[in-house]
């Protein structure tokens, strides 16, 4: 490319423009071929936001870089993000690079905000996975990689922080292959590592680049590949050439015939491999030190998919369930997905991915998920917190709508006379909660509205009222999650509130399977109430409760079956006797009784609820607690103390492995109840060098001694409330 020959990156010229081969059935090149909807994903502190900042800088979207550690990064625009130096909510932006239009979503790395990654990956076409070159694959790296696998998102890898002490390119690539199961192939190799990191070798071009430190990475010069690295580069080039050839039958035939594959052949072959998931290219650099980001941007253009690569958008008819297929074409009927909501004083924003058709300002849309009409007030493109007004949003694009009233995360938008329902998103259950008390009557009124807004923004946040005490309870994914939400209530909504201590979200299940009858009979003059339900209850591994009806002979009329199901789920949510919701239950309604006059939906709903009450009285309950998957990094000298601390917390250590330098990594599972304030404990025993991360794993039965203490605590709380 001309920029490499001159040693500078300048405004793109015609020779700079990157064009992947793409033509429609008429031989025309559609504009969507040059669109890249991508996400930047990684473990916390791997450098995602800094990478995004440099992409915006080199593409000319911003004219000076802001650093995360200074609270000045463009994409970290929330006050809580700037204060903590972490990304909390996914932020969208757009820019252009050498003929390609980038729509970028910068996602959080902390596990408490994993829902932000989930809903972003649901609508993105490709992703850049950023890794710390010193740490390699970290716990949250695995989580976001699994999320990308779930949605079949093609990705490329960028080993960031090659200048960091302990950086090891080969080890990082090895960890990607072994721990993520990815077919990772380096297409670049570093010249030097850690303090000695000076430049990058392009394996495909057999060329080395050295960066000018004074030019913020805008200038570089070409050198010969250092002698000591030539054998390594030759080996890596052989591997990627072979992988590229295997991705395309025509290339493979030429390769096996002994023909040399040139750069353009390799680009096409690698791209095919990326789209199928058989090749994951690995690049390297240091975003903070302005090395390697432009070539990462080139790789996004070359290898990651455009909207046209998603040839079919599959959904179903919201009423008939019939399979419907749409193509990424503006002339197709509209199909779009709302994937994020942001409360804003200038009008709530609803982030939307348009898969087919187009959305225009002022249009009347149909929310197929909720059977509601919606009107498009305004359309905007987002650049972090800034808005750019547009007239329409066409197939393949991502933007935001102002003006919706009844739309939530995961809802499908279409036209009422041509409806479609797209696959929505699933989010994990909350594992931690706390009570929140407004100090004044005025704050009490404002609190409800604020919690409703936060719950609409964040699908992993719940707010509800304790039925016994009347307390307002907020629940989320972890201590940091709730801490940030409380901070937003205090700062954004100007509420004066007191918060209780965080509490574990315990669950209950029945001790064993059983056959139970629920009977609701009342007669008080006039029409009575009569409903009898006989239900077989079994214990399952799935946390979600399920229901089926095997009633034969009309002992329970069909119109009352749903009422019994609703009553059972009501009883599960009620959580008698301890107030913890029931999980892992399957209900089979096999018999019952009804009365021609006195039976009603309400009577059978109450009968279903009584099934749960009677089951508890008959066979008792087991208390379940959330267990977390935990990963700890600490100096080897402190390994014994860390293992001892986990044992004290009822933890189970699965494995330990050597990290970089003198660090050790410990992987295991621990009850959430034992991990409050663990960060302080870990820092104390490791002289401030230990770090850890957790994510929800599963619910397990609480030991009887602890279960008895939980029961006593519940009774003590209830007695205190009665006083």
């Amino acid at each position: 490319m001309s920029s490499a020959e001159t040693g500078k990156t300048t405004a793109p010229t015609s020779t700079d423009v990157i064009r992947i081969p793409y033509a429609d059935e008429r031989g025309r090149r559609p504009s969507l071929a040059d669109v890249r909807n991508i996400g930047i994903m990684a473990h916390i502190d791997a450098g995602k936001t800094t990478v995004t900042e440099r992409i915006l800088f080199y593409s000319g979207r911003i004219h000076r870089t802001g650093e995360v550690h200074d609270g000045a990064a463009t994409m970290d625009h929330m006050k809580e993000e700037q204060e903590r130096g972490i990304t909390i909510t996914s932020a969208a932006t757009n820019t252009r690079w050498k003929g390609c239009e980038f729509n970028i979503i910068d996602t959080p790395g902390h596990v408490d905000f994993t829902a932000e990654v989930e809903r972003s990956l649901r609508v993105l076409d490709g992703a850049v996975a950023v890794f710390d070159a010193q740490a390699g694959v970290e716990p949250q790296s695995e989580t976001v990689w699994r999320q990308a696998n779930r949605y079949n998102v093609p990705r490329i890898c960028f080993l960031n922080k090659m200048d960091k002490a302990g950086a090891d390119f080969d080890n990082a690539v090895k960890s990607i292959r072994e721990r993520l199961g990815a077919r990772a192939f380096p297409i670049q190799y570093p010249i030097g590592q850690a303090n000695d990191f000076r430049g990058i070798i392009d394996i495909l071009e057999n060329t080395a680049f050295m960066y000018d430190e004074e030019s913020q990475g805008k200038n570089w010069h070409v050198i010969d590949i250092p002698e000591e690295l030539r054998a390594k580069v030759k080996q890596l080039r052989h591997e990627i050439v072979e992988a590229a050839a295997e991705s395309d039958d025509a290339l493979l035939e030429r390769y096996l015939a002994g023909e040399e594959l040139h750069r353009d052949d390799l680009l096409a072959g690698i791209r095919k491999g990326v789209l199928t998931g058989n090749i994951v290219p690995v690049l390297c650099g240091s975003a903070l030190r302005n090395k390697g980001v432009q070539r990462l941007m080139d790789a996004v253009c070359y290898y990651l998919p455009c909207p046209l690569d998603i040839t079919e958008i599959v959904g179903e008819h919201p009423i008939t369930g019939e399979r419907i297929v749409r193509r990424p074409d503006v002339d197709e009927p509209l199909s779009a997905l709302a994937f994020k909501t942001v409360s804003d004083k200038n009008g709530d924003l609803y982030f939307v991915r348009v898969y087919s058709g187009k959305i225009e300002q002022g249009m009347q849309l149909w929310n197929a998920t909720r059977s509601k009409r919606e009107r498009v007030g305004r359309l905007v493109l987002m650049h972090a917190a800034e808005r750019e007004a547009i007239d329409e949003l066409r197939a393949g694009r991502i933007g935001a709508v102002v003006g919706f009233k009844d739309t939530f995360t995961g809802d499908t938008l279409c036209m009422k006379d041509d409806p479609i329902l797209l696959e929505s998103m699933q989010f994990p259950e909350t594992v931690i909660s706390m009570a929140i008390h407004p100090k004044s009557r005025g704050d009490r009124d404002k609190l409800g509205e604020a919690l409703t807004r936060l719950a609409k923004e964040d699908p992993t946040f719940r707010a509800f009222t304790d039925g016994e005490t009347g307390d307002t309870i907020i629940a989320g994914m972890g201590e940091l999650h709730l801490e940030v939400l409380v901070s937003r209530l205090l700062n954004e909504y100007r509420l004066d509130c007191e918060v209780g201590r965080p509490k574990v979200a315990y669950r209950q299940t029945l001790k064993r399977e059983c056959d139970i009858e629920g009977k609701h009979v009342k007669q008080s003059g006039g029409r009575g109430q009569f409903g009898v339900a006989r239900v077989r209850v079994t214990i399952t591994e799935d946390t979600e409760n399920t229901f089926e009806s095997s009633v034969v002979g009309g002992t329970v009329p069909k119109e009352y079956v749903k009422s019994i199901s609703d009553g059972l789920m009501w009883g599960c949510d009620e959580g008698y006797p301890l107030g913890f919701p029931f999980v892992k239950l399957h209900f089979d309604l096999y018999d019952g009784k009804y009365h021609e006059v006195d039976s009603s939906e309400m009577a059978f709903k109450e009968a279903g609820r009584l099934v749960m009450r009677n089951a508890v009285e008959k066979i008792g309950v087991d208390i379940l607690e959330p267990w977390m998957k935990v990963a700890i990094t600490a100096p080897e000298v402190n390994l014994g103390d860390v293992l001892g601390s986990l044992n004290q917390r009822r933890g189970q250590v699965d494995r330990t492995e050597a990290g970089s330098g003198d660090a050790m990594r410990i992987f295991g599972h621990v009850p959430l109840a034992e991990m409050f304030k663990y960060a302080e404990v870990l820092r104390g025993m490791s002289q401030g060098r230990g770090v850890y991360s957790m994510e929800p794993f599963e619910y397990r039965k609480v030991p009887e001694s602890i279960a008895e203490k939980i029961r006593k605590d519940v009774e003590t709380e209830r007695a205190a409330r009665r006083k």
Side-chain angles (χ1 to χ4, degrees), residues 203-390:
I203 292 171
L204 300 184
E205 295 186 358
N206 269 324
T207 307
F209 302 91
M210 301 293 283
Y211 285 85
D212 176 2
E213 296 284 349
E214 303 301 317
S215 69
Q216 282 193 287
K218 290 184 176 181
N219 297 344
W220 60 80
H221 57 277
V222 178
I223 64 168
D224 292 334
I225 296 174
E227 181 68 35
E228 67 274 14
L229 295 177
R230 289 180 184 175
K232 178 71 175 179
V233 171
K234 183 178 181 181
Q235 172 209 334
L236 293 176
R237 193 172 197 281
H238 173 76
E239 292 174 4
I240 189 61
V241 168
E242 201 168 71
E246 289 172 356
S247 299
D248 184 283
D249 290 342
L251 286 182
L252 183 60
E253 189 175 327
R254 290 167 53 195
Y255 177 71
L256 293 177
E259 183 179 335
E260 183 181 352
L261 300 181
H262 298 289
R263 177 177 174 275
D264 288 349
D265 298 324
L266 297 177
L267 292 179
I270 294 170
R271 186 170 197 276
K272 281 193 174 182
V274 171
L275 297 186
T276 59
N278 291 323
I279 295 177
V280 180
V282 181
L283 299 90
C284 63
S286 170
L288 187 63
R289 304 301 174 205
N290 306 300
K291 292 182 174 71
V293 176
Q294 296 98 319
R295 284 182 162 65
L296 172 64
M297 296 159 72
D298 289 348
V300 169
C301 297
Y302 285 135
Y303 306 123
L304 289 183
C306 67
L308 296 173
D309 291 310
I310 304 171
T311 55
E312 292 186 345
I313 299 98
V314 180
E316 63 180 36
H317 193 284
I319 298 174
T320 66
E322 176 191 358
R323 184 175 184 268
I324 300 173
V325 175
R326 301 263 167 91
R327 294 181 301 113
D329 190 325
V330 72
D331 294 324
E332 288 270 309
L334 174 66
S335 61
L337 191 75
F339 66 94
K340 180 179 172 66
T341 306
V342 177
S343 294
D344 192 281
K345 61 185 178 182
N346 298 316
D348 290 354
L349 287 167
Y350 298 82
F351 286 72
V352 172
R353 164 69 190 264
V354 180
Y355 288 97
S356 62
K358 63 180 177 180
I359 297 176
E360 295 177 311
Q361 191 167 311
M363 280 180 72
Q364 291 283 346
L365 304 183
W366 181 249
N367 184 324
T369 308
R370 303 181 189 278
S371 298
K372 297 274 190 179
R373 287 191 183 277
E374 291 282 24
R375 182 181 178 278
V376 179
R378 285 178 287 138
L379 285 168
V380 295
L381 291 180
M382 299 302 299
H383 175 51
E386 298 175 11
R387 306 179 183 188
E388 176 189 334
I390 55 175

Side-chain angles (χ1 to χ4, degrees), residues 12 39 48 143 151 195 197 207 245 296 307 310 380 384 386 393 411 419 584 589 605 693 707:
K48 300 177 307 303
T143 302
Y151 295 117
N195 292 334
F197 177 57
T207 307
L296 172 64
I310 304 171
V380 295
E386 298 175 11
L393 199 59
D411 288 359
K584 297 191 174 184
L589 173 66
K605 185 175 181 180
S693 65

Side-chain angles (χ1 to χ4, degrees), residues 494-619:
R494 305 296 180 189
L495 290 170
D496 194 5
C497 299
E498 293 178 346
V499 295
R501 291 187 302 107
K503 292 183 179 180
V504 172
Y506 291 109
R507 298 289 186 263
Q508 300 179 97
T509 197
L510 296 175
K511 281 187 174 293
R512 55 182 172 82
E513 60 186 45
C514 57
D515 286 7
I516 298 292
E517 179 182 90
K519 185 175 183 179
H520 179 64
V521 180
K522 277 192 176 182
Q523 193 70 46
S524 56
R527 181 177 175 179
Q529 298 180 42
F530 184 93
V532 177
R534 296 187 180 116
V535 178
R536 186 172 296 111
V537 190
T538 53
I539 315 297
T540 69
E541 290 302 313
D542 192 354
T543 305
E544 187 175 347
N545 299 318
T546 53
F547 172 84
E548 68 172 319
S549 172
S550 58
V551 170
V552 293
T555 55
V556 178
K558 286 184 178 179
E559 62 264 31
Y560 296 136
V561 169
K562 185 177 186 306
S563 299
I564 294 171
S565 173
D566 290 345
L568 288 164
M569 299 309 166
W570 177 19
C572 289
D573 292 340
E574 185 181 41
Y576 174 82
L578 298 172
F580 308 141
F582 279 87
V583 295
K584 297 191 174 184
L585 300 179
H586 176 71
F587 302 103
D588 177 14
L589 173 66
Y590 67 91
D591 197 7
K593 292 181 181 179
Y594 78 103
H595 189 277
E596 289 284 357
V597 177
D598 292 343
S599 288
S600 65
E601 291 183 0
M602 182 54 69
F604 275 102
K605 185 175 181 180
E606 184 63 25
R609 176 173 171 266
L610 288 173
V611 166
M612 284 303 302
R613 288 259 176 166
N614 295 340
V616 168
E617 298 289 353
K618 181 177 179 180
I619 63 172

